[in-house]
Amino acid sequence: KAGVTQTPRYLIKTRGQQVTLSCSPISGHRSVSWYQQTPGQGLQFLFEYFSETQRNKGNFPGRFSGRQFSNSRSEMNVSTLELGDSALYLCASSLFLSSSYEQYFGPGTRLTVT
Amino acid sequence: SQQGEEDPQALSIQEGENATMNCSYKTSINNLQWYRQNSGRGLVHLILIRSNEREKHSGRLRVTLDTSKKSSSLLITASRAADTASYFCATEPGANNLFFGTGTRLTVIP
């Protein structure tokens, strides 16, 4: 079974721009979660989608948004990029809600904002 | 913050030794999970222990959970160089969110 894939793997953007990251979950998984990882803040939960509905949202500003498609693929968007948005963005999928089931993580998208 | 705190932050041991890392959390939980992350890559799930379980084993891994102390420990026996990674605990406090701890950086010296 193919693992979780994320595209692109690396991205360099300029302050003020917007970016869209993509995540394809493991086949059959209905839950997709997004995390931001930085050296200073560690791993922080962004949001979780389950069957195209946002089920949970972390404490991030509205510039961070996401969506899930009927095939469970998910995208997250960050608008008006700031330097502090530079991070590794990780996507994870699980069969059902992530809190009760193991999550399978993708390799991440490394975003650098200059 | 509802994040767990791992202790120690960093651990360096010789190959063949055992490694123990601890996780403390603040609120009551339904389950606790441990993950491993190799440098700058995605996380790999290691083990999930539910709140009504006290101990769980998986290969060379042993996880304990003490809900009265709000703490968990991960023991890796007979460590190998390939175990070098960061280890995170993740707790689920009932809000359907997973909160990751700050991580323990384990270095196993061949």
Side-chain angles (χ1 to χ4, degrees), chain A residues 2-21:
Chain A
V4 177
T5 58
Q6 292 186 247
T7 56
R9 291 292 311 279
Y10 302 92
L11 205 49
I12 299 175
K13 289 285 189 179
T14 306
R15 267 182 306 176
Q17 288 186 314
Q18 76 164 15
V19 66
T20 298
L21 311 181

Side-chain angles (χ1 to χ4, degrees), chain B residues 68-92:
Chain B
S68 65
K69 294 182 179 177
K70 292 187 171 57
S71 68
S72 174
S73 68
L74 170 66
L75 167 68
I76 303 174
T77 59
S79 64
R80 305 166 182 168
D83 295 328
T84 293
S86 291
Y87 292 81
F88 296 88
C89 67
T91 55
E92 187 271 315

